[in-house]
Amino acid sequence: MHWSTRHHYTFRSVWDLSAPPAAVYGVLERAGEYPTWWPQVRSVTPLDDISGVAVFRSFLPYELTVTATEKRRDPAGGVLEIAMSGDLDGWARWTLSARAGGTRAVYEQQVEVRRPLMRRFALPGRPVFLANHAWMMRGGRRGLEALLQRV
């Protein structure tokens, strides 16, 4: 895959959560339920046992639609990984590890933006796109922590 520098994004977020890794993994592996706890994940529509269509929207007034296909599901290793195509083309991975008092969840993502509007504004919009992603990740972390507190 060719990665254009101005259309390519690499993200890494670290969430320290108070629940044990098995509980966190149990929530993260149920992608169809993300919209119930992650406000910026607007919908997830299953296509089959290993893929679905997800729609995301953070504070910017546009939605991103991707088809996600499971690439790795390793409960023992604490890894979930998907390939993405659509408005974003690339991959995303959760890696979970035990830490004192709970779990460290590391989210990594490498994508190339395919949506024409985002490609057109790639350079001037980059800081806003990065802030939009950070906002989305904060919402996800808060939603997941709240869900884990209820379980």
Side-chain angles (χ1 to χ4, degrees):
M1 178 179 298
H2 170 67
W3 295 107
S4 167
T5 302
R6 68 182 187 170
H7 299 127
H8 177 250
Y9 290 83
T10 299
F11 298 106
R12 185 174 191 276
S13 297
V14 178
W15 297 356
D16 287 327
L17 304 163
S18 59
V24 175
Y25 191 95
V27 172
L28 292 177
E29 74 176 338
R30 296 189 304 272
E33 297 176 16
Y34 280 33
T36 66
W37 58 266
W38 197 331
Q40 293 80 15
V41 179
R42 300 306 172 103
S43 67
V44 176
T45 305
L47 296 174
D48 55 36
D49 289 343
I50 64 163
S51 64
V53 176
V55 177
F56 309 98
R57 181 173 176 190
S58 193
F59 68 79
L60 291 176
Y62 65 84
E63 293 181 337
L64 295 174
T65 301
V66 300
T67 298
T69 303
E70 180 181 298
K71 289 298 181 192
R72 184 173 174 197
R73 181 186 294 251
D74 180 2
V79 178
L80 290 163
E81 186 172 335
I82 60 167
M84 292 184 289
S85 61
D87 289 338
L88 302 174
D89 188 25
W91 59 269
R93 176 177 49 236
W94 287 106
T95 305
L96 308 179
S97 58
R99 68 166 190 87
T103 301
R104 172 157 286 174
V106 177
Y107 178 81
E108 298 170 285
Q109 181 182 36
Q110 285 191 9
V111 293
E112 183 170 351
V113 174
R114 308 303 288 165
R115 186 179 177 113
L117 181 64
M118 289 181 70
R119 290 177 72 84
R120 191 172 310 120
F121 293 105
L123 292 177
R126 191 171 190 87
V128 176
F129 298 154
L130 293 172
N132 192 62
H133 185 270
W135 179 267
M136 178 176 171
M137 296 306 292
R138 278 193 299 276
R141 190 205 156 287
R142 282 193 302 266
L144 180 55
E145 187 67 55
L147 175 66
L148 292 166
Q149 295 295 324
R150 293 190 304 267
V151 176

